Amino acid sequence: MDALLKELSKLETLTAQHPGKNKTPSISDSLDDLIATLQSAKADVNSIDEGSWNSLAQTIEARKKDIDDRQKEIYSATAKLGKAVEKKFPANLPSYPNLFESDPAIAALERTIALHLLRTGQFDTAHTFLEESNADIPLELRSQFIELYRILKALRNEDIGPALLWARRHRAFLQSRGSPLEFYLHRSQYIRLFLTSHPPNPLLAISYAQAELTPFFHDHRAEFQRLLTCVIYPPSELENSPYADMASPSLHLELEPLFAKEYCASLGMSRQVPLRVVADIGGGGALAKIEKCRRVLRERKNEWIQRDELPIEINLPPENRYHSIFTCPVSKEQSTEHNPPMMMLCGHVVAKDSLQKLAKSSGRVKCPYCPTESLSSAAIQVHF
Ligand SMILES: [Zn+2]
């Protein structure tokens, strides 16, 4: 992998907008230089003598050569990178039948890409994509993403104002989700006031707390008490005190993802960006495992015909586990829509099929895990 990264970094240096000192100028620098020379020649066109014309022609030739040379270097670096990639990944990428042939599938894909670009703040690319594809994202939704990025940018610049305004306007929604966003915004401001006052003056933070934090006392009592007591330390000592977490930059940095999550939720969108999840899971090893499994099955002349289930287990990081799976402790089978988990009166859960098998003709079931006996009809379905 090292060789590959080395080639990539060479290419990046070559194509960088402003390469370091003593390097040949980048293509855009050479072009800018050329344009500036031509513009100044144009301004003095009446007073240019023959000598100046000659030197102008020489400058143009020299810049052209710079650009050609640089172009050649870039081509050669690209070719080397290509070779390094081929050497590192000798196996051909698997090919799959095109899943996006029908109109609804193409429309769904285009919409997903457009939303991805908007959600990740790549507005120029999104704009071009929307122009060149058939995807249709309402203008209102587009401007909502622009607003999201405006607010996130303000947060990055330590300005909680726009985020707070949004949080106040959506207070009922945030409360219905039990979101601490508004409190955390104030907390960030409170700590910032305390840490940045010169000379140290805890009263600034305390009067901010009196004005803004009081309504959050009931929901965040413990945190509230810590916030008010941490100011007994001088700001410079906070990071060595029992309140060191209050001095951590993460207290402010975590506001951005939290805000983006709540904002997207208010638009009815998931916490994670779908295309990124797909790429993370696929690129994180799942695709390679599935491909290997397909190859093994093919070699054994077995066909993988099950459509809704993978024949192998793929471990996912906790943030990508969306649905809990119930495996019946009696039959060892995974629950399905037709064989859902059922909870008996004692609180133990088995699959519906197992429950029916365990039931006597009287309808009574003896729990396999405790002495309780109950009616199978009293068991209720459990939803994961
Ligand atoms: Zn039981």
Side-chain angles (χ1 to χ4, degrees):
M1 204 68 187
D2 281 353
L4 220 165
L5 290 174
K6 212 170 106 192
E7 294 301 338
L8 184 64
S9 93
K10 270 190 209 162
L11 185 63
E12 276 172 348
T13 322
L14 276 175
T15 49
Q17 202 68 347
H18 301 289
K21 280 180 184 168
N22 305 324
K23 295 262 176 72
T24 23
S26 71
I27 292 180
S28 59
D29 282 350
S30 300
L31 283 173
D32 286 347
D33 198 34
L34 186 58
I35 291 169
T37 316
L38 287 173
Q39 272 169 347
S40 86
K42 189 181 170 191
D44 314 322
V45 73
N46 293 325
S47 56
I48 293 182
D49 55 24
E50 198 168 331
S52 310
W53 279 119
N54 285 337
S55 88
L56 184 62
Q58 278 166 9
T59 314
I60 293 173
E61 276 308 312
R63 290 292 152 284
K64 195 170 156 283
K65 191 174 175 306
D66 281 349
I67 294 169
D68 281 348
D69 289 351
R70 189 36 70 108
Q71 199 106 308
K72 272 183 210 151
E73 282 173 28
I74 293 174
Y75 278 140
S76 128
T78 315
K80 278 187 189 159
L81 178 65
K83 277 188 192 138
V85 172
E86 275 169 23
K87 202 172 160 195
K88 174 73 195 163
F89 304 104
N92 286 336
L93 285 174
S95 61
Y96 295 94
N98 188 3
L99 292 169
F100 300 98
E101 274 176 341
S102 68
D103 287 344
I106 294 171
L109 178 67
E110 289 187 342
R111 188 181 155 77
T112 308
I113 295 173
L115 281 176
H116 175 85
L117 294 170
L118 289 169
R119 277 191 73 164
T120 48
Q122 304 176 67
F123 298 114
D124 287 346
T125 320
H127 182 76
T128 312
F129 183 80
L130 285 166
E131 264 181 0
E132 293 183 6
S133 69
N134 292 319
D136 184 25
I137 307 288
L139 272 178
E140 198 196 333
L141 188 57
R142 290 191 224 176
S143 53
Q144 274 164 327
F145 282 115
I146 294 172
E147 191 202 10
L148 167 65
Y149 272 82
R150 185 181 59 82
I151 297 175
L152 290 180
K153 200 172 160 195
L155 277 178
R156 207 166 308 148
N157 294 327
E158 307 187 348
D159 175 11
I160 62 158
L164 203 54
L165 203 67
W166 185 91
R168 283 194 184 123
R169 223 181 288 146
H170 296 81
R171 189 173 282 163
F173 169 77
L174 291 171
Q175 277 170 351
S176 73
R177 288 169 54 82
S179 167
L181 177 66
E182 200 178 344
F183 174 65
Y184 282 1
L185 287 167
H186 284 303
R187 183 181 70 172
S188 160
Q189 186 69 356
Y190 171 87
I191 293 289
R192 201 173 281 134
L193 280 172
F194 172 56
L195 290 180
T196 56
S197 61
H198 288 293
N201 180 9
L203 285 178
L204 282 176
I206 291 171
S207 50
Y208 182 82
Q210 275 173 334
E212 304 287 355
L213 278 173
T214 331
F216 301 94
F217 177 71
H218 281 290
D219 288 341
H220 305 274
R221 192 179 292 229
E223 180 104 39
F224 203 93
Q225 287 165 346
R226 295 191 75 233
L227 279 174
L228 286 187
T229 35
C230 79
V231 296
I232 56 170
Y233 282 87
S236 56
E237 282 305 307
L238 195 63
E239 55 187 338
N240 303 318
S241 75
Y243 301 96
D245 54 310
M246 302 280 182
S248 159
S250 65
L251 196 111
H252 311 285
L253 296 175
E254 281 164 7
L255 288 176
E256 274 182 62
L258 177 64
F259 186 85
K261 180 179 113 182
E262 299 300 351
Y263 193 96
C264 286
S266 79
L267 300 178
M269 292 188 176
S270 59
R271 174 172 59 89
Q272 292 162 311
V273 187
L275 264 192
R276 192 167 288 160
V277 174
V278 170
D280 282 353
I281 294 180
L287 207 55
K289 271 191 182 170
I290 292 172
E291 195 42 38
K292 191 174 172 191
C293 172
R294 264 166 51 118
R295 211 172 50 235
V296 171
L297 284 178
R298 225 175 7 238
E299 278 164 15
R300 289 190 194 160
K301 304 228 176 331
N302 273 339
E303 270 301 315
W304 171 10
I305 40 167
Q306 201 113 6
R307 281 247 152 205
D308 54 352
E309 204 179 295
L310 290 172
I312 42 165
E313 197 156 315
I314 291 176
N315 287 323
L316 296 176
E319 67 268 23
N320 292 129
R321 289 188 195 153
Y322 305 99
H323 304 288
S324 304
I325 293 165
F326 175 76
T327 305
C328 174
V330 178
S331 65
K332 314 285 181 221
E333 277 171 8
Q334 265 182 29
S335 60
T336 62
E337 209 180 318
H338 304 291
N339 185 21
M342 302 294 288
M343 184 169 73
M344 293 167 283
L345 277 184
C346 56
H348 286 116
V349 184
V350 294
K352 194 175 179 179
D353 284 352
S354 306
L355 185 76
Q356 280 162 359
K357 278 181 199 152
L358 287 168
K360 294 173 193 144
S361 52
S362 61
R364 297 193 73 78
V365 182
K366 152 80 182 62
C367 172
Y369 295 95
C370 72
T372 316
E373 229 186 67
S374 57
L375 276 173
S376 68
S377 54
I380 51 168
Q381 187 176 337
V382 181
H383 298 273
F384 281 83

